C-alpha cells in the first residue's frame, strides 16, 4: 500500500496531524482504541488546554523551540474547535480547561476531524520495521498478516515512555536514533517523589504549599502518601528535579509564620509553640516535626528564634530517594532533540519527509493542559506543513 503520509501513533498529536495532513493519510497504532491517554486524562474530563499557555510553561533543551508552533496554533484555536463541536467546558483553576461531560468527547472530536479530512486509521497494528530509500517503507502486522506501507512522509507520534501499561513504548526514540537524530535522555516527569518510609505517619495529609526543585516554585496542593509526596505542586516540581537534589517546601505559602507567631505571642504568650502552629498547619504534621521544635511557650521565644523557626517551615529542605518512575509519570521529559527538528514544521533537518511531534519530542509542559496544547500545536504544524507540500 502507498500513502502520502503515514503517522505512527493515534494519540493526541498523531490524530491532530492526521486531521490536517491532507489526502492519503494513514494513522497506525497498536492499541485497541485511539487516544487512550486523552480518555483517562483529567480524571476522565480531559484538561485539554490552558488559557495562559505560553512558552514559559514548557521545559526543553531549547526554550525557544516551541514558540513557533504554539503561536501559530494557540489555545484559542483549540477552544474554537471544541466550541465548534458543541462540547461544553469549564475552567477549573489556574486557566485549566476541562470538558463538562467526558474526555471521550475530545477523542470523538479528533476522530470526526480525521474523518472529515479522509484520514484512515488502523488499530491493533504493530510496527515491525522502518526503512528509507527515497520513500519510507514501514512493515506492519495487522490481523496477523505482515503488510508493507510506503509513504512520502512519516510522522513519529508514538509519545514517550510514561505508563507502559497504557501502551507507551519509546518507539519514536528508537526510530529517531535509527535515522541519526539525537536524543535528550528521557526521564519521568510530573511524577510523585518517593522518600522510603519517611512520611508514612503523614500519609493522607494534604496542604497548600509552595515547592521548588532547581526551577520555578509552584504554589498548589501537596499530598503526603505512604511512599512520599504527591499532589500538583510536587508533580510540577518533579519535572525540574534530578536524582540527589533537594526540594524546598514552603508549608505556609499564603501567610508569614513569623507574623502569625509574633501576633500569637502578644495575645497568647503562655501557649506552647506547637499548639499555636497546629492552628495553622495540620496537627499530625506538627507532631511529626515536634522533635525539631523548641518545647517552649511562645513568651519564652525571642524574635530571632521565632524567625528561625518560621524560616525552617517556609524552607523545608528534603531529599527525595527517587520518583515513582514511568509507572505513574504523566509525561516523559527529554526525547527527540529539538536541534534536529525544524521548529515551524517539526520536520527532521537531516531526513526530509521525517517528522516528530507531541511527547516524543524534547518539549514537556507543566501540569494543567499544557501537554495536550503541545500535542495540538505540534501536530497541527506537521500536518499543515505536509498539506502545503513542504
Ligand atoms: C494519567 C494521565 C493523565 C494526563 N492528563 C493530562 C491532562 O489532563 N492534560 C494534559 O495536557 N496532559 C495530560 N497528560 C499528558 C498527555 O496525555 C500527553 O502529553 C499526550 O497524550 C501526548 O500526546 P502524544 O500524541 O504525543 O502521545 P500519546 O497520547 O501517548 O499517544 C501515543 C500513541 O502511540 C501509540 N504507540 C506507542 N508505542 C507504539 C508502538 N510501539 N506501536 C504502535 N503504536 C504505539 C500509543 O498506543 C498511543 O496511542 C496526561 C497523561 C497521563 C498519563
Amino acid at each position: 500500500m502507498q500513502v502520502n503520509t503515514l503517522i505512527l501513533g493515534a494519540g493526541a498529536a498523531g490524530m491532530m496531524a492526521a486531521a490536517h495532513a491532507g489526502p492519503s493519510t494513514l494513522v497506525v497504532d497498536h492499541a485497541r482504541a485511539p487516544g487512550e491517554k486523552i480518555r483517562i486524562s483529567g480524571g476522565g474530563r480531559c484538561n485539554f488546554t490552558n488559557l495562559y499557555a505560553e512558552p514559559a510553561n514548557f521545559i526543553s533543551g531549547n526554550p525557544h523551540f516551541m514558540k513557533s508552533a504554539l503561536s501559530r496554533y494557540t489555545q484559542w484555536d483549540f477552544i474554537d474547535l471544541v466550541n465548534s463541536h458543541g462540547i461544553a467546558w469549564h475552567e477549573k483553576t489556574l486557566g485549566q480547561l476541562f470538558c463538562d461531560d467526558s474526555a471521550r468527547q475530545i477523542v470523538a472530536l479528533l476522530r470526526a476531524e480525521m474523518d472529515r479530512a479522509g484520514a484512515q486509521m488502523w488499530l491493533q497494528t504493530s510496527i515491525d520495521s522502518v526503512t528509507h530509500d527515497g520513500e519510507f517503507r514501514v512493515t506492519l502486522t495487522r490481523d496477523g498478516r505482515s503488510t508493507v506501507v510506503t509513504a512520502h512522509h512519516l510522522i513519529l507520534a508514538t509519545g514517550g515512555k510514561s505508563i507502559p501499561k497504557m501502551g507507551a513504548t519509546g518507539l519514536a526514540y528508537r526510530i529517531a536514533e535509527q535515522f541519526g537524530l539525537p536524543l535528550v535522555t528521557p526521564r519521568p516527569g510530573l511524577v510523585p517523589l518517593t522518600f522510603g518510609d519517611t512520611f508514612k505517619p503523614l500519609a493522607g495529609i494534604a496542604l497548600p504549599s509552595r515547592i521548588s526543585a532547581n526551577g520555578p516554585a509552584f504554589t498548589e496542593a501537596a499530598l503526603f502518601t505512604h511512599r512520599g509526596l504527591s499532589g500538583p505542586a510536587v508533580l510540577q516540581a518533579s519535572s525540574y528535579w534530578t536524582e540527589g537534589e533537594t526540594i524546598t517546601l514552603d508549608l505556609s505559602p499564603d501567610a508569614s509564620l513569623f507574623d502569625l507567631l509574633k501576633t500569637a505571642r502578644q495575645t497568647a504568650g503562655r501557649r506552647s509553640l506547637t499548639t499555636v502552629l497546629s492552628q495553622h498547619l495540620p496537627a499530625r504534621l506538627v507532631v511529626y516535626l515536634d522533635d525539631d521544635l523548641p518545647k517552649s511557650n511562645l513568651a519564652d521565644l525571642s524574635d530571632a528564634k521565632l524567625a528561625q523557626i518560621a524560616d525552617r517551615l517556609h524552607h523545608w529542605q528534603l531529599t527525595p530517594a527517587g520518583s515513582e518512575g514511568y509507572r505513574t509519570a504523566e509525561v516523559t521529559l527529554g526525547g527527540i532533540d529539538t536541534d534536529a527538528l525544524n521548529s515551524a514544521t517539526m520536520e527532521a533537518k537531516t531526513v526530509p519527509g521525517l517528522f516528530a511531534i507531541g511527547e516524543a519530542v524534547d518539549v514537556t509542559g507543566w501540569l494543567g493542559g499544557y501537554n495536550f496544547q503541545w500535542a495540538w500545536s505540534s501536530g497541527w504544524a506537521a500536518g499543515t506543513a505536509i498539506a502545503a507540500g513542504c
Side-chain angles (χ1 to χ4, degrees):
M1 178 171 171
Q2 164 84 48
V3 294
N4 187 43
T5 305
L6 177 61
I7 301 176
L8 307 184
M15 286 198 281
M16 189 66 175
H20 292 92
S24 184
T25 295
L26 170 67
V27 190
V28 297
D29 199 298
H30 63 175
R32 279 215 187 99
E36 279 293 89
K37 280 194 182 166
I38 301 173
R39 184 180 59 80
I40 61 152
S41 67
R45 292 225 160 81
C46 185
N47 178 194
F48 56 81
T49 192
N50 193 294
L51 290 177
Y52 309 117
E54 57 173 13
N57 307 121
F58 294 84
I59 303 165
S60 169
N62 176 358
H64 306 293
F65 178 80
M66 68 297 287
K67 287 182 178 171
S68 170
L70 288 176
S71 67
R72 287 185 308 131
Y73 190 89
T74 68
Q75 58 270 47
W76 309 109
D77 293 313
F78 196 75
I79 292 167
D80 283 348
L81 183 64
V82 168
N83 288 339
S84 73
H85 283 255
I87 299 172
W89 52 267
H90 60 279
E91 180 186 351
K92 199 168 173 190
T93 176
L94 303 171
Q96 301 167 7
L97 304 191
F98 288 75
C99 299
D100 284 358
D101 188 9
S102 164
R104 290 174 196 272
Q105 293 175 293
I106 301 294
V107 181
L109 172 159
L110 292 164
R111 287 203 77 158
E113 290 294 312
M114 281 174 58
D115 288 348
R116 194 184 48 77
Q120 270 186 278
M121 178 157 58
W122 291 356
L123 296 171
Q124 294 182 282
T125 300
S126 65
I127 298 155
D128 304 326
S129 69
V130 179
T131 59
H132 184 234
D133 180 13
E135 295 195 305
F136 295 93
R137 278 176 68 83
V138 181
T139 307
L140 307 165
T141 303
R142 190 180 177 221
D143 294 334
R145 283 210 306 272
S146 183
T147 311
V148 174
V149 176
T150 55
H152 297 302
H153 305 99
L154 181 70
I155 304 185
L156 307 180
T158 53
K161 288 185 168 181
S162 298
I163 321 220
K165 261 193 178 167
M166 295 205 63
T169 60
L171 176 71
Y173 307 145
R174 292 199 292 278
I175 299 176
E177 281 189 310
Q178 180 192 331
F179 284 96
L181 307 190
L183 294 186
V184 175
T185 308
R187 62 190 174 88
L190 298 179
V191 64
L193 297 172
T194 56
F195 289 83
D197 288 342
T198 314
F199 293 137
K200 254 192 176 159
L202 302 181
I205 293 178
L207 78 168
S209 66
R210 181 182 296 122
I211 306 189
S212 62
N214 199 20
F218 294 94
T219 308
E220 287 181 72
L223 173 70
F224 289 91
T225 69
H226 285 283
R227 291 166 58 86
L229 279 169
S230 188
V234 176
L235 299 185
Q236 299 276 32
S238 76
S239 292
Y240 291 87
W241 177 78
T242 46
E243 294 265 344
E245 281 177 355
T246 57
I247 64 169
T248 306
L249 260 84
D250 181 344
L251 296 171
S252 176
D254 302 323
S256 155
L257 289 173
F258 177 61
D259 290 346
L260 289 170
L261 292 173
K262 239 171 85 166
T263 308
R265 190 178 57 187
Q266 276 167 8
T267 55
R270 292 174 66 183
R271 287 197 158 174
S272 75
L273 171 69
T274 47
T275 304
V276 174
L277 279 177
S278 299
Q279 290 166 350
H280 303 292
L281 299 173
R284 247 192 314 144
L285 177 59
V286 176
V287 170
Y288 181 85
L289 297 169
D290 189 54
D291 286 349
D292 294 338
L293 296 170
K295 309 286 172 288
S296 325
N297 290 342
L298 284 179
D300 299 329
L301 296 169
S302 65
D303 275 6
K305 192 70 198 169
L306 290 186
Q308 191 193 14
I309 293 162
D311 187 62
R312 271 206 52 213
L313 298 173
H314 283 297
H315 301 93
W316 194 16
Q317 304 273 321
L318 296 167
T319 308
S323 82
E324 290 193 1
Y326 291 122
R327 189 178 61 82
T328 62
E330 273 197 23
V331 287
T332 304
L333 294 151
I336 299 168
D337 194 330
T338 56
D339 280 354
L341 303 175
N342 176 326
S343 64
T345 63
M346 306 294 136
E347 188 174 20
K349 290 175 184 167
T350 52
V351 190
L354 180 66
F355 295 74
I357 57 176
E359 203 177 309
V361 177
D362 174 32
V363 173
T364 307
W366 290 359
L367 187 78
Y370 303 100
N371 284 296
F372 280 137
Q373 186 57 45
W374 172 244
W376 316 138
S377 298
S378 59
W380 179 91
T384 53
I386 290 170
C390 78

Tab-separated table of all heavy atoms in Angstrom, residues 296-336:
chain	number	residue	atom	x	y	z
A	296	SER	N	8.992	25.204	74.132
A	296	SER	CA	8.753	26.371	74.992
A	296	SER	C	7.392	26.989	74.734
A	296	SER	O	6.758	26.731	73.702
A	296	SER	CB	9.788	27.451	74.708
A	296	SER	OG	11.020	26.893	74.410
A	297	ASN	N	6.987	27.831	75.685
A	297	ASN	CA	5.853	28.710	75.425
A	297	ASN	C	6.322	29.835	74.525
A	297	ASN	O	7.506	30.190	74.504
A	297	ASN	CB	5.331	29.315	76.732
A	297	ASN	CG	4.651	28.251	77.572
A	297	ASN	OD1	4.280	27.192	77.063
A	297	ASN	ND2	4.499	28.531	78.856
A	298	LEU	N	5.357	30.421	73.823
A	298	LEU	CA	5.732	31.475	72.880
A	298	LEU	C	6.437	32.636	73.582
A	298	LEU	O	7.386	33.217	73.047
A	298	LEU	CB	4.489	32.005	72.160
A	298	LEU	CG	3.921	31.113	71.052
A	298	LEU	CD1	2.680	31.766	70.453
A	298	LEU	CD2	4.961	30.861	69.970
A	299	ALA	N	5.963	32.965	74.784
A	299	ALA	CA	6.519	34.117	75.507
A	299	ALA	C	8.015	33.962	75.741
A	299	ALA	O	8.740	34.951	75.903
A	299	ALA	CB	5.789	34.284	76.837
A	300	ASP	N	8.491	32.694	75.749
A	300	ASP	CA	9.915	32.455	76.024
A	300	ASP	C	10.769	32.468	74.766
A	300	ASP	O	11.974	32.220	74.829
A	300	ASP	CB	10.092	31.085	76.716
A	300	ASP	CG	9.340	31.051	78.035
A	300	ASP	OD1	9.218	32.119	78.653
A	300	ASP	OD2	8.843	29.967	78.396
A	301	LEU	N	10.131	32.727	73.625
A	301	LEU	CA	10.886	32.672	72.368
A	301	LEU	C	11.128	34.086	71.832
A	301	LEU	O	10.182	34.874	71.690
A	301	LEU	CB	10.126	31.831	71.334
A	301	LEU	CG	9.966	30.339	71.713
A	301	LEU	CD1	8.978	29.641	70.795
A	301	LEU	CD2	11.320	29.640	71.666
A	302	SER	N	12.365	34.384	71.538
A	302	SER	CA	12.730	35.724	71.038
A	302	SER	C	12.281	35.889	69.579
A	302	SER	O	11.979	34.903	68.897
A	302	SER	CB	14.244	35.901	71.110
A	302	SER	OG	14.841	34.974	70.213
A	303	ASP	N	12.303	37.133	69.124
A	303	ASP	CA	12.021	37.386	67.703
A	303	ASP	C	12.947	36.550	66.824
A	303	ASP	O	12.515	35.953	65.835
A	303	ASP	CB	12.241	38.863	67.365
A	303	ASP	CG	11.002	39.707	67.667
A	303	ASP	OD1	10.037	39.137	68.244
A	303	ASP	OD2	11.013	40.905	67.323
A	304	ALA	N	14.227	36.534	67.198
A	304	ALA	CA	15.210	35.822	66.367
A	304	ALA	C	14.872	34.331	66.302
A	304	ALA	O	14.953	33.703	65.243
A	304	ALA	CB	16.605	36.028	66.935
A	305	LYS	N	14.443	33.776	67.458
A	305	LYS	CA	14.118	32.342	67.485
A	305	LYS	C	12.871	32.067	66.643
A	305	LYS	O	12.819	31.092	65.875
A	305	LYS	CB	13.905	31.902	68.951
A	305	LYS	CG	13.858	30.416	69.141
A	305	LYS	CD	15.231	29.777	68.927
A	305	LYS	CE	15.101	28.295	68.681
A	305	LYS	NZ	16.349	27.686	68.218
A	306	LEU	N	11.860	32.949	66.800
A	306	LEU	CA	10.626	32.769	66.006
A	306	LEU	C	10.941	32.862	64.509
A	306	LEU	O	10.416	32.092	63.707
A	306	LEU	CB	9.581	33.825	66.369
A	306	LEU	CG	8.927	33.712	67.744
A	306	LEU	CD1	7.801	34.749	67.866
A	306	LEU	CD2	8.374	32.306	67.996
A	307	ALA	N	11.827	33.805	64.160
A	307	ALA	CA	12.179	33.972	62.739
A	307	ALA	C	12.878	32.717	62.228
A	307	ALA	O	12.621	32.264	61.110
A	307	ALA	CB	13.081	35.191	62.568
A	308	GLN	N	13.720	32.136	63.088
A	308	GLN	CA	14.454	30.926	62.682
A	308	GLN	C	13.484	29.748	62.460
A	308	GLN	O	13.579	29.028	61.464
A	308	GLN	CB	15.449	30.581	63.796
A	308	GLN	CG	16.453	29.543	63.431
A	308	GLN	CD	17.186	29.043	64.679
A	308	GLN	OE1	16.783	29.272	65.831
A	308	GLN	NE2	18.282	28.373	64.454
A	309	ILE	N	12.527	29.618	63.383
A	309	ILE	CA	11.540	28.522	63.269
A	309	ILE	C	10.695	28.726	62.002
A	309	ILE	O	10.488	27.796	61.200
A	309	ILE	CB	10.632	28.492	64.522
A	309	ILE	CG1	11.443	28.093	65.751
A	309	ILE	CG2	9.440	27.549	64.321
A	309	ILE	CD1	10.768	28.452	67.068
A	310	ALA	N	10.212	29.952	61.825
A	310	ALA	CA	9.366	30.243	60.658
A	310	ALA	C	10.142	29.979	59.375
A	310	ALA	O	9.614	29.388	58.422
A	310	ALA	CB	8.881	31.688	60.706
A	311	ASP	N	11.387	30.407	59.374
A	311	ASP	CA	12.203	30.235	58.164
A	311	ASP	C	12.319	28.751	57.805
A	311	ASP	O	12.241	28.378	56.636
A	311	ASP	CB	13.588	30.846	58.404
A	311	ASP	CG	14.403	30.844	57.132
A	311	ASP	OD1	13.970	31.500	56.168
A	311	ASP	OD2	15.437	30.143	57.078
A	312	ARG	N	12.504	27.915	58.823
A	312	ARG	CA	12.626	26.471	58.544
A	312	ARG	C	11.347	25.923	57.919
A	312	ARG	O	11.370	25.090	57.024
A	312	ARG	CB	12.913	25.709	59.850
A	312	ARG	CG	14.377	25.582	60.150
A	312	ARG	CD	14.656	24.358	60.997
A	312	ARG	NE	14.073	23.155	60.440
A	312	ARG	CZ	13.603	22.150	61.161
A	312	ARG	NH1	13.632	22.197	62.462
A	312	ARG	NH2	13.099	21.074	60.575
A	313	LEU	N	10.202	26.385	58.424
A	313	LEU	CA	8.924	25.859	57.925
A	313	LEU	C	8.565	26.431	56.554
A	313	LEU	O	7.812	25.835	55.795
A	313	LEU	CB	7.808	26.143	58.937
A	313	LEU	CG	8.034	25.468	60.303
A	313	LEU	CD1	6.981	25.940	61.306
A	313	LEU	CD2	8.000	23.947	60.188
A	314	HIS	N	9.116	27.597	56.254
A	314	HIS	CA	8.902	28.158	54.901
A	314	HIS	C	9.923	27.598	53.905
A	314	HIS	O	9.733	27.745	52.702
A	314	HIS	CB	9.044	29.690	54.929
A	314	HIS	CG	7.843	30.393	55.508
A	314	HIS	ND1	6.593	30.329	54.927
A	314	HIS	CD2	7.704	31.178	56.609
A	314	HIS	CE1	5.735	31.057	55.646
A	314	HIS	NE2	6.382	31.576	56.679
A	315	HIS	N	10.999	27.013	54.411
A	315	HIS	CA	12.046	26.475	53.520
A	315	HIS	C	12.454	25.092	54.009
A	315	HIS	O	13.597	24.870	54.398
A	315	HIS	CB	13.287	27.389	53.488
A	315	HIS	CG	13.004	28.769	53.032
A	315	HIS	ND1	12.720	29.802	53.893
A	315	HIS	CD2	12.917	29.289	51.789
A	315	HIS	CE1	12.481	30.902	53.196
A	315	HIS	NE2	12.595	30.615	51.924
A	316	TRP	N	11.525	24.151	54.005
A	316	TRP	CA	11.825	22.792	54.468
A	316	TRP	C	12.563	22.076	53.349
A	316	TRP	O	12.011	21.888	52.255
A	316	TRP	CB	10.509	22.081	54.797
A	316	TRP	CG	10.677	20.821	55.586
A	316	TRP	CD1	11.772	20.410	56.274
A	316	TRP	CD2	9.666	19.805	55.771
A	316	TRP	NE1	11.534	19.210	56.885
A	316	TRP	CE2	10.259	18.818	56.596
A	316	TRP	CE3	8.356	19.651	55.344
A	316	TRP	CZ2	9.550	17.668	56.979
A	316	TRP	CZ3	7.660	18.516	55.720
A	316	TRP	CH2	8.241	17.539	56.537
A	317	GLN	N	13.805	21.715	53.624
A	317	GLN	CA	14.641	21.081	52.592
A	317	GLN	C	14.528	19.569	52.710
A	317	GLN	O	14.749	19.019	53.780
A	317	GLN	CB	16.117	21.459	52.814
A	317	GLN	CG	16.404	22.927	52.845
A	317	GLN	CD	16.650	23.484	51.455
A	317	GLN	OE1	17.273	22.833	50.642
A	317	GLN	NE2	16.147	24.674	51.195
A	318	LEU	N	14.203	18.921	51.605
A	318	LEU	CA	14.035	17.470	51.613
A	318	LEU	C	14.767	16.862	50.421
A	318	LEU	O	14.785	17.456	49.340
A	318	LEU	CB	12.548	17.122	51.492
A	318	LEU	CG	11.645	17.581	52.635
A	318	LEU	CD1	10.182	17.466	52.230
A	318	LEU	CD2	11.926	16.741	53.872
A	319	THR	N	15.330	15.685	50.642
A	319	THR	CA	15.995	14.997	49.525
A	319	THR	C	15.229	13.716	49.192
A	319	THR	O	15.281	12.742	49.947
A	319	THR	CB	17.459	14.633	49.881
A	319	THR	OG1	18.102	15.812	50.355
A	319	THR	CG2	18.194	14.093	48.666
A	320	PRO	N	14.492	13.718	48.076
A	320	PRO	CA	13.752	12.502	47.702
A	320	PRO	C	14.708	11.338	47.446
A	320	PRO	O	15.826	11.545	46.968
A	320	PRO	CB	13.040	12.900	46.395
A	320	PRO	CG	13.040	14.392	46.384
A	320	PRO	CD	14.274	14.820	47.119
A	321	ALA	N	14.233	10.126	47.768
A	321	ALA	CA	15.031	8.930	47.451
A	321	ALA	C	14.948	8.652	45.955
A	321	ALA	O	15.873	8.116	45.358
A	321	ALA	CB	14.498	7.734	48.237
A	322	GLY	N	13.844	9.011	45.347
A	322	GLY	CA	13.653	8.755	43.912
A	322	GLY	C	12.286	9.247	43.490
A	322	GLY	O	11.675	10.084	44.174
A	323	SER	N	11.821	8.702	42.369
A	323	SER	CA	10.460	9.027	41.934
A	323	SER	C	9.740	7.720	41.627
A	323	SER	O	10.368	6.660	41.577
A	323	SER	CB	10.476	9.908	40.686
A	323	SER	OG	10.651	9.098	39.530
A	324	GLU	N	8.439	7.795	41.417
A	324	GLU	CA	7.693	6.565	41.109
A	324	GLU	C	7.959	6.078	39.690
A	324	GLU	O	7.493	5.009	39.314
A	324	GLU	CB	6.197	6.772	41.362
A	324	GLU	CG	5.901	6.893	42.844
A	324	GLU	CD	4.428	6.785	43.185
A	324	GLU	OE1	3.602	6.591	42.273
A	324	GLU	OE2	4.112	6.920	44.382
A	325	GLY	N	8.698	6.863	38.905
A	325	GLY	CA	9.134	6.393	37.593
A	325	GLY	C	8.026	6.384	36.549
A	325	GLY	O	6.934	6.915	36.752
A	326	TYR	N	8.332	5.739	35.435
A	326	TYR	CA	7.400	5.752	34.303
A	326	TYR	C	6.061	5.083	34.628
A	326	TYR	O	5.080	5.291	33.939
A	326	TYR	CB	8.014	5.044	33.101
A	326	TYR	CG	9.170	5.807	32.483
A	326	TYR	CD1	10.434	5.240	32.379
A	326	TYR	CD2	8.983	7.094	32.001
A	326	TYR	CE1	11.493	5.946	31.808
A	326	TYR	CE2	10.033	7.812	31.432
A	326	TYR	CZ	11.275	7.226	31.338
A	326	TYR	OH	12.309	7.938	30.775
A	327	ARG	N	6.058	4.269	35.693
A	327	ARG	CA	4.813	3.565	36.048
A	327	ARG	C	3.664	4.554	36.258
A	327	ARG	O	2.530	4.289	35.871
A	327	ARG	CB	5.044	2.734	37.314
A	327	ARG	CG	3.911	1.788	37.665
A	327	ARG	CD	4.283	0.983	38.911
A	327	ARG	NE	4.523	1.831	40.082
A	327	ARG	CZ	3.582	2.328	40.873
A	327	ARG	NH1	2.326	2.060	40.634
A	327	ARG	NH2	3.901	3.081	41.917
A	328	THR	N	3.964	5.708	36.891
A	328	THR	CA	2.886	6.666	37.171
A	328	THR	C	3.148	8.062	36.593
A	328	THR	O	2.291	8.935	36.721
A	328	THR	CB	2.659	6.830	38.695
A	328	THR	OG1	3.862	7.346	39.267
A	328	THR	CG2	2.300	5.522	39.372
A	329	ALA	N	4.300	8.270	35.985
A	329	ALA	CA	4.629	9.621	35.473
A	329	ALA	C	3.620	10.030	34.402
A	329	ALA	O	3.328	9.260	33.495
A	329	ALA	CB	6.034	9.620	34.887
A	330	GLU	N	3.130	11.264	34.493
A	330	GLU	CA	2.164	11.717	33.477
A	330	GLU	C	2.827	12.013	32.159
A	330	GLU	O	2.176	11.979	31.116
A	330	GLU	CB	1.414	12.967	33.962
A	330	GLU	CG	0.201	12.617	34.762
A	330	GLU	CD	-0.782	13.766	34.900
A	330	GLU	OE1	-0.800	14.692	34.078
A	330	GLU	OE2	-1.551	13.706	35.873
A	331	VAL	N	4.112	12.327	32.190
A	331	VAL	CA	4.809	12.667	30.941
A	331	VAL	C	6.237	12.143	30.979
A	331	VAL	O	6.737	11.747	32.024
A	331	VAL	CB	4.868	14.197	30.705
A	331	VAL	CG1	3.519	14.756	30.315
A	331	VAL	CG2	5.456	14.911	31.889
A	332	THR	N	6.885	12.205	29.819
A	332	THR	CA	8.302	11.886	29.717
A	332	THR	C	9.049	13.160	29.324
A	332	THR	O	8.737	13.776	28.299
A	332	THR	CB	8.541	10.813	28.638
A	332	THR	OG1	7.729	9.681	28.957
A	332	THR	CG2	9.994	10.403	28.599
A	333	LEU	N	9.998	13.540	30.171
A	333	LEU	CA	10.876	14.673	29.834
A	333	LEU	C	11.921	14.191	28.828
A	333	LEU	O	12.169	12.997	28.712
A	333	LEU	CB	11.582	15.163	31.096
A	333	LEU	CG	10.687	15.782	32.156
A	333	LEU	CD1	11.286	15.583	33.537
A	333	LEU	CD2	10.496	17.265	31.878
A	334	GLY	N	12.567	15.127	28.150
A	334	GLY	CA	13.568	14.735	27.159
A	334	GLY	C	12.888	14.162	25.924
A	334	GLY	O	11.698	14.354	25.701
A	335	GLY	N	13.664	13.433	25.123
A	335	GLY	CA	13.112	12.874	23.886
A	335	GLY	C	13.917	13.349	22.687
A	335	GLY	O	15.096	13.720	22.837
A	336	ILE	N	13.276	13.379	21.530
A	336	ILE	CA	13.999	13.725	20.302
A	336	ILE	C	14.482	15.176	20.400
A	336	ILE	O	13.689	16.095	20.662
A	336	ILE	CB	13.106	13.500	19.069
A	336	ILE	CG1	12.706	12.015	18.997
A	336	ILE	CG2	13.806	13.951	17.793
A	336	ILE	CD1	11.614	11.688	18.003
